[in-house]
Amino acid sequence: MSLLMRMMQDSFFDDKQILVVDKAPKQQNDRTWCFWEKENGLFESIVHHQWQQLDFFSNDYSATLAIDPYRYKMIRGIDFYQYVLQKAANKSNVHFHYEEVLGVGNENNKAVLTLASGKITADYIFNSILFREPKITAGQYMLLQHFKGWVIETSTPVFDSSKATFMDFRVSQKEGTTFMYVMPVATNKALVEYTLFTEKLLPQEKYSEELVQYLSEYLGIDTFTIEHEEFGIIPMTNHVFPSVEGKVIYIGIAGGQAKGSSGYAFQFIQKRTASVVDALKNNRVPKADNSITAKKFRLYDSVLLNVLHYKKLNGDQIFAAIFQKNPPQRVLRFLDNETSVLDDLHIMNSVPTGIFLKAAFQEIFR
């Protein structure tokens, strides 16, 4: 949808026939994206709520973080889908087909899409489907970021809608790196999300139990209604996903746009789709960013995954140290893969040198 939006906004694609294939129409509010940016973005008009103050809580360090000039933004899935589909309705060159995709490939210098009803060929296929779990080899790690979120409503005002809880690590860490998000959109309504970085999922009832306990113990909320529920799983891995296979271009999670050490994806998807459009306009094959800067951040992701995988240091302690010793703007730049070498040195100096230096050497020489 992000790639389609960028194509529809550029006159270069007005004479190109664009087919969007999906299993079913997007009609449900099945997810929420939260991200930060300084300027107005491509989807500014559908931002549901935004904050310029973020709370961070842990047993080692807690603070309210002023993130100006960044704004932390929320977009609801249903608003996103409807916005893009409404724009597409006015484009005679954009078509939709709803059917399960069986596979993608290449034949005779064309991209080929395989459906039960037959095959479709195109100059390019942009694939965001992860057809199978990535095969993790020696030196690679796979954690799962899994979460359950509730949009709850209370009968009385209990939230400060001017700030959001970015991470609250005061909950039990026995399963692994675990924290809560609280995103108030009104004084009586908020998205509350229980999130873990672990190798295995929990029983579904466990997520709900932890949400109820957190709402009662830390927010003093015992009575509420659940307006919306969502559950998600995002791979956190240093596995190298394919970028291009012939005329098949991989995007989204399938193209490695989820940051390996945090799971953040929305802004990386925006960067990737912008680069795809730029490449096509300049008659280049859209390829992955293999610059020195990109490799640097992939190394950083591998180092953190190494530390978490081998349980050398708890995740709550790592994030607490980073936020305590750095301005939040630097941390957000780091999570966006936009820091300078000087920024990186400050971040590195925030965490226990012995643990992270050893992990870094392991990853560099692996």
Side-chain angles (χ1 to χ4, degrees), residues 61 73 75 137 195 203 313:
Y61 171 75
K73 302 178 181 182
I75 291 179
T137 58
T195 304
L313 192 65

Side-chain angles (χ1 to χ4, degrees), residues 317-366:
Q317 294 174 292
I318 296 169
F319 283 100
I322 290 174
F323 274 101
Q324 184 174 8
K325 297 177 182 178
N326 294 276
Q329 292 82 359
R330 179 185 293 146
V331 181
L332 296 181
R333 287 199 301 273
F334 186 74
L335 294 173
D336 267 344
N337 290 5
E338 293 179 351
T339 44
S340 65
V341 173
L342 183 59
D343 283 329
D344 297 340
L345 292 173
H346 282 294
I347 296 287
M348 292 175 193
N349 196 43
S350 307
V351 294
T353 305
I355 293 173
F356 275 82
L357 196 59
K358 183 178 179 179
F361 277 115
Q362 289 173 343
E363 296 306 314
I364 289 169
F365 294 108
R366 191 181 299 281

Side-chain angles (χ1 to χ4, degrees), residues 188-341:
N188 68 331
K189 185 184 291 189
L191 169 63
V192 184
E193 199 167 271
Y194 178 58
T195 304
L196 304 96
F197 298 170
T198 63
E199 294 180 356
K200 296 182 180 179
L201 304 181
L202 304 179
Q204 277 295 319
E205 61 272 15
K206 179 65 174 175
Y207 300 93
S208 300
E209 290 170 4
E210 292 294 334
L211 281 164
V212 169
Q213 183 176 338
Y214 178 78
L215 287 168
S216 177
E217 184 175 346
Y218 291 98
L219 302 184
I221 300 173
D222 294 306
T223 304
F224 56 90
T225 57
I226 301 173
E227 184 181 278
H228 167 70
E229 177 178 301
E230 59 188 42
F231 180 80
I233 306 168
I234 299 172
M236 293 176 56
T237 179
N238 60 345
H239 171 79
V240 180
F241 289 87
S243 175
V244 179
E245 290 180 348
K247 293 301 185 74
V248 177
I249 313 300
Y250 292 90
I251 58 176
I253 301 294
Q257 265 76 74
K259 184 170 172 61
S261 59
S262 69
Y264 279 104
F266 190 82
Q267 286 296 72
F268 288 99
I269 288 170
Q270 302 315 312
K271 292 176 182 179
R272 171 64 168 159
T273 53
S275 71
V276 166
V277 165
D278 181 69
L280 292 173
K281 289 174 64 177
N282 289 282
N283 200 31
R284 301 194 314 269
V285 176
K287 294 183 179 180
D289 182 2
N290 286 314
S291 64
I292 293 174
T293 300
K295 291 178 181 178
K296 174 186 77 170
F297 287 108
R298 286 200 291 270
L299 172 61
Y300 296 163
D301 288 340
S302 293
V303 171
L304 180 57
L305 289 169
N306 177 305
V307 172
L308 293 177
H309 175 81
Y310 292 110
K311 298 178 172 58
K312 298 174 180 178
L313 192 65
N314 291 340
D316 61 323
Q317 294 174 292
I318 296 169
F319 283 100
I322 290 174
F323 274 101
Q324 184 174 8
K325 297 177 182 178
N326 294 276
Q329 292 82 359
R330 179 185 293 146
V331 181
L332 296 181
R333 287 199 301 273
F334 186 74
L335 294 173
D336 267 344
N337 290 5
E338 293 179 351
T339 44
S340 65
V341 173

Side-chain angles (χ1 to χ4, degrees), residues 38-57:
K38 297 176 183 178
E39 311 294 338
N40 290 347
L42 182 63
F43 299 102
E44 192 67 29
S45 64
I46 55 168
V47 170
H48 187 62
H49 201 85
Q50 56 185 293
W51 305 266
Q52 283 191 291
Q53 292 189 92
L54 301 176
D55 280 335
F56 178 91
F57 296 105

Side-chain angles (χ1 to χ4, degrees), residues 123-139:
D123 292 331
Y124 286 105
I125 288 175
F126 302 94
N127 175 55
S128 62
I129 300 172
L130 196 61
F131 287 103
R132 63 192 67 84
E133 287 189 18
K135 184 178 180 181
I136 303 303
T137 58

